[in-house]
Amino acid sequence: IVNKSLAMKQLAAFIPAYSRETNTKVYVQDRIMEQQKLIASTFQQGGVVMLCGSVHMQKAVLKVLTSICNQYCDRDLSYYQKKKQVRMDCY
């Protein structure tokens, strides 16, 4: 589904993070920090950031997204959340 969505330009990017891998643990918030300007640009252009995972991870990601909005965007994270540009399925 991801490759098809990328090919059809329904999805601009897919950047996975697997924190449970034994040798190559990567946390979502670390990936987001690597892509700060892309995330800010996505918000500013009306795009959506989708997040799925644990509530613990969600809290760490929201902290990073807040920092990115404060540094690169004219608005704070709550603005983009109200516009449904941050979509989360966390448990």
Side-chain angles (χ1 to χ4, degrees), residues 75-91:
R75 312 224 183 223
D76 64 11
L77 181 60
S78 65
Y79 171 82
Y80 300 107
Q81 288 174 306
K82 288 176 188 169
K83 290 186 66 182
K84 302 199 186 291
Q85 288 180 254
V86 179
R87 300 208 182 152
M88 297 178 280
D89 182 14
C90 298
Y91 45 89

Side-chain angles (χ1 to χ4, degrees), residues 28-44:
V28 175
Q29 61 269 27
D30 297 333
R31 288 281 195 222
I32 290 173
M33 285 301 292
E34 293 169 0
Q35 302 291 328
Q36 292 181 63
K37 291 182 181 178
L38 174 63
I39 298 292
S41 176
T42 298
F43 283 146
Q44 292 166 336

